[in-house]
Amino acid sequence: MTGTATAPFTADDYRARMERAAREAADAGLAGLLVAPGPDLVWLTGYAPPAATERLTLLVLAPGRDPVLVVPTLEAPDAGKAAGAPALTLRDWTDGKDPYAATAALLDEGGRFGISDNAWAMHLLGLQKTLPATSYASLTEALPMLRAVKDAAELELMAAAGAAADRAFEEIRKAPFAGRRESEVGADLAGLLRRYGHSQVDFTIVASGPNGANPHHEVGDRVIERGDMVVLDFGGLKDGYGSDTSRTVHVGEPTEEERRVHDLVREAQEAGFRAVRPGVACQEVDRAARAVIADAGYGEYFIHRTGHGIGVTTHEPPYMIEGEERPLVPGMCFSVEPGVYLPGRFGVRIEDIVTVTEDGGRRLNDTTRELVIVD
């Protein structure tokens, strides 16, 4: 991905985000934030530089100072076209010059800075060598909730991505499954996501029969058979924001046990959703869903967290897991996706993206959660 982000945000939107990020950095005891190319940079500025470059690009945010984007001279024209460019100062450096010296002039010599998780080690080490008294913390550690609460425009984009994924499911359920390889169905799913507006497909899990007991099986060469339970989990980015949904279908009529396990997971997913409301700890969503499965005797077969945040990436904080006591806040978006995985036999997972509202939660996926029978 190069150029500007596709989301329709203005320079004022990006200015507000950068100002909030600088304030949150100060509140966390940091001297500032150093944001390398990746989702944080796109979210803060609208700029996505070329993916494969060893040249330093770094956004410097500090409380009380104007944002500065350090960029290679040859990429400065593209950076200047980014939607957020009017809200920051560009400082370019030419090949043969020291980019770390140029960046160091913007930093407190003994400050502690938050830095993007995906910053190149080469660049971090270069800054440390230039300013040996500085120290650093990953943004996930220092400001895990930086992108967690979405504004109204972001929520519209999240809802549109969810609706597009729903359309993909409604189409794929009409397609033949029996006699086809998982990889073929996965390719169909990827094509449908793109047809309905996704610019990036992050995953298309098609896990049939015993493969369904592996939550991250993705796709393989196994030929889907009649009598198989098939877990479908798919998503990606549409207009810069993520989708992620799971439904479990059955090829032909299910057994009584398969239907019972599917109903159990559906009940657990509903319980997790009903637990969503402002002020509730993230772990309570996990507890609500997990209790349903554990009470039915399948607790040891629910082997992952109940959910993860989603936004400009498909996995990000907050996480719905025991021990996460951070409270839910209106505008947060995350998955609710309990599952049961019976080794060597089959698996079931049902997943919606949910956003926290002022008085509860709202699903961003609306396809049926009943067991769908496919051919």
Side-chain angles (χ1 to χ4, degrees):
M1 181 172 61
T2 60
T4 59
T6 54
F9 299 114
T10 67
D12 286 341
D13 293 323
Y14 291 113
R15 180 180 290 106
R17 290 177 184 177
M18 287 188 280
E19 289 175 351
R20 177 163 69 84
R23 287 196 306 270
E24 291 187 11
D27 291 343
L30 298 171
L33 301 180
L34 307 178
V35 185
D40 289 316
L41 185 63
V42 173
W43 184 77
L44 286 163
T45 69
Y47 177 53
T53 178
E54 74 285 359
R55 295 180 173 94
L56 177 74
T57 296
L58 205 63
L59 174 67
V60 180
L61 298 177
R65 301 182 191 176
D66 291 336
V68 177
L69 182 62
V70 179
V71 294
T73 299
L74 76 169
E75 290 166 14
D78 284 340
K81 296 174 185 176
L88 52 78
T89 298
L90 287 178
R91 180 169 295 186
D92 64 313
W93 61 275
T94 57
D95 285 353
K97 302 294 185 180
D98 184 352
Y100 308 115
T103 306
L106 305 171
L107 307 182
D108 293 341
E109 293 184 1
R112 180 170 176 78
F113 296 89
I115 189 166
S116 299
D117 297 11
N118 56 340
W120 284 30
M122 176 176 74
H123 297 322
L124 177 57
L125 292 170
L127 287 172
Q128 287 179 318
K129 183 178 180 180
T130 304
L131 292 175
T134 54
S135 60
Y136 303 87
S138 73
L139 281 188
T140 292
E141 173 192 342
L143 294 179
M145 294 295 107
L146 181 62
R147 305 193 315 256
V149 177
K150 277 65 177 176
D151 63 24
E154 290 180 294
L155 289 174
E156 287 185 13
L157 292 168
M158 291 291 302
D166 283 356
R167 293 179 72 186
F169 176 72
E170 294 294 0
E171 288 293 321
I172 203 68
R173 63 180 287 187
K174 302 172 187 174
F177 278 69
R180 302 178 70 209
R181 297 184 186 278
E182 293 172 343
S183 56
E184 295 177 82
V185 177
D188 286 352
L189 264 176
L192 288 167
L193 286 171
R194 293 189 178 95
R195 180 192 302 176
Y196 293 123
H198 282 66
S199 59
Q200 177 176 314
V201 177
D202 287 341
F203 48 88
T204 53
I205 294 174
V206 180
S208 63
N211 288 340
N214 175 1
H216 282 173
H217 168 69
E218 296 192 3
V219 296
D221 291 330
R222 184 180 185 276
V223 176
I224 301 169
E225 302 174 356
R226 293 195 67 80
D228 279 348
M229 195 80 92
V230 184
V231 178
L232 304 173
D233 184 350
F234 50 96
L237 297 182
K238 179 182 184 296
D239 294 329
Y241 282 77
S243 69
D244 184 1
T245 186
S246 299
R247 294 294 186 261
T248 302
V249 302
H250 197 276
V251 187
E253 286 300 316
T255 65
E256 181 180 341
E257 181 190 21
E258 288 171 330
R259 191 175 290 279
R260 183 174 68 251
V261 171
H262 189 278
D263 287 345
L264 174 65
V265 174
R266 181 167 53 84
E267 182 183 349
Q269 206 268 349
E270 177 69 17
F273 170 69
R274 294 296 177 191
V276 175
R277 61 185 182 277
V280 167
C282 291
Q283 67 182 0
E284 294 301 330
V285 178
D286 182 83
R287 287 175 176 177
R290 199 169 299 277
V292 173
I293 293 173
D295 289 348
Y298 287 87
E300 65 182 294
Y301 303 113
F302 181 10
I303 56 177
H304 56 72
R305 63 197 175 203
T306 292
H308 58 82
I310 185 171
V312 294
T313 56
T314 49
H315 280 207
E316 62 187 43
Y319 298 102
M320 306 301 114
I321 186 63
E322 182 68 31
E324 179 51 85
E325 298 180 350
R326 185 172 282 107
L328 299 180
V329 176
M332 281 183 174
C333 296
F334 49 85
S335 65
V336 178
E337 52 177 306
V340 168
Y341 309 94
L342 303 178
R345 302 180 62 205
F346 65 89
V348 176
R349 181 164 63 259
I350 301 172
E351 173 186 16
D352 295 323
I353 299 303
V354 173
T355 184
V356 184
T357 64
E358 294 297 330
D359 58 1
R362 175 168 69 97
R363 285 185 166 105
L364 301 185
N365 296 105
D366 293 319
T367 55
T368 182
R369 294 163 202 92
E370 301 288 340
L371 181 58
V372 170
I373 308 302
V374 297
D375 293 329

